[in-house]
Amino acid sequence: MMHALGRLAILIGLGGFASAGFTQGFPSKPVRLIVPFAPGGTNDIAARGIAPELGEALGQQVVVENRAGAGGQIGAEAVAKSPPDGHTLMMASSSVMTNAPAVYSKLRYDILKDFAPVGRVGELPLVIVVHPTVPAKSAQQFIALAKARPRDIRMATGGPGTTSHLIAELFAISAGVQVLVVPYKGGGPALIDLLGGHVDARIDQISSSLEHIKSNRLRAVAVTTTRRATLLPSLPTLSESGLPGFDASTVNALLAPAATPPDIVRRLNAALVKVLAMPAVIERFSALGVELRPSTSEELASFIREDLAKWRRVVRETGLKLE
């Protein structure tokens, strides 16, 4: 018996040594940072905004690779099926992490089983903007108007199941109003029609609408996060405007394939947190309206579970379901 226990102890010790040796050798080659969308979007900008400094922190180049298609599913699936050695990561957004899993009955990946959360990068507050002809100068007035005119207020979204669509539905539920959701094929066409007065309102990224807000071509009535936005510090939040606790945004985060060794996840997280504290990175993201919100791996895992549960409740209450 003693001999058997001795052999077992040696095997465990060798296994721990091998794991430690593997971790110490990480990264042994360039790290691929996959963006599951086309170049130029928020996710792509976030990835390229941290890649140089993240590479320096890790001691290996971080190469951004766009793998667009199927609403982010192709890129997400590619990361999920990559070797879990820390050399392939995904810059994920809310649409991939919690929106699509809540809305679609079938996906090419399982957000809770196929990934190891590394850490949050930042959040992008959204803003409710209305056309100047809409007689509402605050969130309270906009809610009152929507209550007085059920299903008459036309709210544009970037498409079925998108972040702007889900937040519009959450707003309607929270405020007890009925709005007419008008889906477009992307945020660009939705914004163009709002500027032209063909729809009444939109929930948009602040960076996209800011120029038009400043020129009075659009009127901002509230931001959708519990904290005020740095780009619009004087604009109240929905939480301050009669919907306490209302909190919805676009979040960017780093994910690795499931089964990535915890030591590697911790090293990746430490490098990410270091990068997000750099003044040049903070300034770079602030100019885009992105508010950096670094987190631990565990905090990101909790956020994903809670946010997914929130959007699943919205889907149940609205009957929204896409194939």
Side-chain angles (χ1 to χ4, degrees):
M1 175 66 73
M2 293 300 294
H3 288 304
L5 289 174
R7 287 196 297 271
L8 179 60
I10 291 171
L11 287 173
I12 292 172
L14 288 174
F17 178 79
S19 175
F22 178 76
T23 304
Q24 288 170 5
F26 171 81
S28 59
K29 58 183 178 181
V31 175
R32 289 194 307 156
L33 179 51
I34 290 181
V35 175
F37 299 102
T42 304
N43 240 31
D44 182 63
I45 292 170
R48 297 180 191 279
I50 65 167
E53 288 84 357
L54 188 61
E56 291 177 11
L58 291 171
Q60 284 281 355
Q61 184 182 12
V62 173
V63 181
V64 177
E65 179 182 329
N66 296 88
R67 296 285 294 273
Q73 291 189 55
I74 291 176
E77 182 184 32
V79 175
K81 292 183 176 179
S82 296
D85 58 8
H87 289 95
T88 303
L89 305 173
M90 173 168 65
M91 179 63 76
S93 66
S94 295
S95 60
V96 168
M97 289 189 292
T98 58
N99 297 164
V103 172
Y104 290 94
S105 56
K106 294 180 182 179
L107 287 177
R108 301 186 186 193
Y109 61 92
D110 186 318
I111 191 63
L112 298 178
K113 295 180 180 179
D114 292 342
F115 300 97
V118 173
R120 187 170 49 216
V121 175
E123 80 173 354
L124 192 65
L126 287 91
V127 60
I128 298 181
V129 286
V130 300
H131 190 266
T133 57
V134 174
K137 295 184 178 181
S138 67
Q140 293 95 330
Q141 291 180 3
F142 183 65
I143 291 170
L145 183 67
K147 286 182 177 179
R149 294 162 47 182
R151 293 191 61 78
D152 188 42
I153 300 297
R154 300 157 297 173
M155 183 168 279
T157 74
T162 58
T163 301
S164 61
H165 181 191
L166 289 179
I167 296 179
E169 297 286 3
L170 178 61
F171 166 75
I173 292 170
S174 302
V177 300
Q178 292 181 314
V179 297
L180 182 62
V181 174
V182 183
Y184 284 80
K185 292 184 178 179
L191 182 59
I192 289 171
D193 264 16
L194 176 59
L195 289 167
H198 304 295
V199 289
D200 303 301
R202 168 159 166 70
I203 294 176
D204 197 12
Q205 295 178 5
I206 294 176
S207 56
S208 300
S209 291
L210 188 59
E211 174 189 343
H212 307 299
I213 294 169
K214 289 181 175 179
S215 65
N216 296 320
R217 296 185 68 195
L218 294 177
R219 183 186 304 125
V221 298
V223 293
T224 61
T225 47
T226 53
R227 293 172 293 270
R228 292 196 179 194
T230 54
L231 289 182
L232 293 170
S234 63
L235 185 66
T237 67
L238 282 174
S239 186
E240 295 175 295
S241 307
L243 303 181
F246 192 101
D247 192 18
S249 61
T250 295
V251 171
N252 295 107
L254 283 188
L255 303 180
T260 299
D263 285 351
I264 288 181
V265 171
R266 281 192 288 271
R267 177 153 183 206
L268 287 166
N269 178 268
L272 177 62
V273 170
K274 178 181 178 181
V275 167
L276 296 180
M278 294 178 178
V281 174
I282 294 172
E283 183 179 352
R284 189 179 304 155
F285 278 86
S286 295
L288 300 170
V290 178
E291 314 208 348
L292 298 180
R293 307 279 184 216
S295 74
T296 65
S297 170
E298 293 76 16
E299 287 168 343
L300 175 57
S302 294
F303 165 79
I304 291 173
R305 289 192 298 268
E306 293 167 6
D307 207 50
L308 179 57
K310 175 174 71 179
W311 297 125
R312 281 177 170 168
R313 286 195 298 271
V314 170
V315 167
R316 283 196 303 270
E317 292 187 34
T318 60
L320 174 68
K321 204 69 178 177
L322 302 176
E323 297 294 333

